Amino acid sequence: MSSTGDRSLPDPGAAGRAAVEARRGRAAVKRALAAGQRGPRDVAERAWQEPEGPEGRLRVSEYLGSLRGMGPARVTSLMAKLSIAQSKRLGGLGGLQRERVRGWLDDVDPSRRPRLIVLAGPTAVGKGTVAQYVREHFPQIRQSVSATTRSPRPGEIDGVHYAFVSDADFDRMVDEREFLEWATVHNRSRYGTPRSSVQAALDEGSSVLLEIDLQGARQVRESFPDAVLLFLAPPSWDELVRRLVGRGTETEDERTRRLETAKVELASQPEFDATVVNTDIAEAAREVVEHILVAEGDMTSGAS
Ligand code: 5GP
């Protein structure tokens, strides 16, 4: 973006900087693919949604070459098989070529399937923080925005943290079966997961992480028997109390109510498929993601 008065002269500095920026963006996509932080399907679908974005501008050869086990010779022969020219960019593929890439991805890893993952656990254990870490570091795992009847806390944005709705709106959403699950939490406000956005993400091939309460987790177990239920546990009860008091966002009454709920919630741990102890946020988040990757590969099937 040149700020000089003469528009006929391109600013070589700005163009150069934009090119460096674009190269960095593509390099980040390749690194994330190679590290398994982003899935090949997620990157391809993104490229086709935004052909001019970093994913779209990535060469197909670089995309394939970033995947595990894909050396240069395999990339060349695969591209010939898929009838894709070596110079093609991912975003520039035609409809048929896209279908061939999708088909190849299905064949390479036929057992991989998107999963619904529930992250539940007692109040103040850090579910929200762990879920946020997953959102920031593992964008291939989708999360839905719940609807709630509680008022926003300072800094919370409607449509980002929650969809803040009235009681009447929530009633209507329940009546119209818009929720995959919903519950009254801490005997106070109602919270619900929208069915349509979760289903859309699963249909696109992405796993979805739901950060919800125990009642919601039980409903998901009923309606999605192959969902994976993860229990986020505190290192100890004393630590849980410390975290709840330390947060300072609740009144004394509210704290007492939440601690009562927490006791009941802690007792539900055996109902879950696995427990992740939240001592360190990044470590707990990575453990959650590992459970998701294992579930996607269905390596646990037959074991339960
Ligand atoms: P907060 O009011 O602190 O944001 O959330 C209170 C509790 O509601 C948390 O335990 C959170 O996991 C739960 N919650 C948030 N969204 C949903 C939802 O969509 N469904 C259910 N069942 N619980 C939710």
Side-chain angles (χ1 to χ4, degrees):
M1 253 186 259
S2 165
S3 59
T4 60
D6 188 346
R7 283 168 184 273
S8 63
L9 284 179
D11 174 354
R17 277 194 299 279
V20 169
E21 209 39 54
R23 233 186 343 263
R24 280 208 188 114
R26 294 197 296 275
V29 175
K30 285 199 280 181
R31 269 198 309 277
L33 271 173
Q37 287 175 331
R38 292 189 68 183
R41 264 166 236 266
D42 166 55
V43 168
E45 296 296 339
R46 188 72 209 209
W48 298 330
Q49 272 165 12
E50 271 183 54
E52 291 307 314
E55 293 87 356
R57 300 291 299 160
L58 195 63
R59 285 189 197 284
V60 179
S61 56
E62 292 180 298
Y63 162 75
L64 294 173
S66 304
L67 306 180
R68 258 172 247 162
M70 292 293 294
R74 275 195 77 190
V75 170
T76 307
S77 74
L78 176 64
M79 288 183 69
K81 203 171 119 201
L82 300 176
S83 304
I84 297 173
Q86 285 295 321
S87 59
K88 269 279 181 194
R89 293 181 192 273
L90 205 45
L93 295 183
L96 273 177
Q97 289 173 320
R98 292 178 188 192
E99 278 317 305
R100 280 188 223 118
V101 171
R102 283 196 184 102
W104 176 74
L105 287 169
D106 285 341
D107 290 346
V108 195
D109 192 358
S111 66
R112 190 206 150 277
R113 59 197 175 115
R115 301 294 288 261
L116 189 57
I117 315 287
V118 169
L119 183 66
T123 181
V125 71
K127 278 176 298 184
T129 321
V130 169
Q132 187 182 341
Y133 191 96
V134 172
R135 198 159 40 239
E136 285 166 5
H137 294 82
F138 303 92
Q140 81 274 27
I141 295 160
R142 304 276 194 85
Q143 293 185 36
S144 76
V145 178
S146 296
T148 181
T149 56
R150 87 153 159 76
S151 328
R153 296 193 185 117
E156 284 183 334
I157 302 165
D158 188 26
V160 174
H161 297 93
Y162 286 104
F164 296 98
V165 301
S166 65
D167 267 309
D169 280 341
F170 202 96
D171 285 341
R172 183 194 53 75
M173 293 165 93
V174 170
D175 286 347
E176 292 179 6
R177 301 183 47 79
E178 286 183 24
F179 292 125
L180 190 148
E181 62 74 34
W182 70 271
T184 304
V185 181
H186 305 308
N187 293 322
R188 185 161 270 188
S189 310
R190 288 182 290 170
Y191 298 79
T193 305
R195 186 190 301 278
S196 58
S197 58
V198 170
Q199 196 55 58
L202 291 171
D203 290 346
E204 278 171 29
S206 301
S207 288
V208 182
L209 180 68
L210 304 180
E211 182 244 305
I212 56 177
D213 88 315
L214 173 63
Q215 308 164 73
R218 286 181 176 141
Q219 291 173 45
V220 172
R221 170 71 94 208
E222 285 291 305
S223 45
F224 285 81
D226 68 347
V228 179
L229 269 57
L230 301 179
F231 189 83
L232 192 66
S236 66
W237 172 256
D238 286 351
E239 175 60 18
L240 185 66
V241 175
R242 203 184 61 74
R243 286 181 194 176
L244 187 59
V245 174
R247 189 155 81 175
T249 45
E250 287 86 17
T251 62
E252 183 65 42
D253 254 15
E254 181 78 15
R255 267 207 298 276
T256 310
R257 195 176 15 240
R258 285 187 177 221
L259 277 176
E260 275 163 21
T261 312
K263 272 191 200 138
V264 177
E265 286 175 332
L266 271 180
S268 72
Q269 189 175 335
E271 293 175 37
F272 285 75
D273 296 311
T275 294
V276 172
V277 177
N278 184 18
T279 308
D280 174 81
I281 292 157
E283 222 166 273
R286 269 194 290 275
E287 232 180 282
V288 166
V289 172
E290 259 165 45
H291 280 290
I292 298 175
L293 294 179
V294 168
E296 284 179 344
D298 210 17
M299 285 149 70
T300 55
S301 74
S304 56

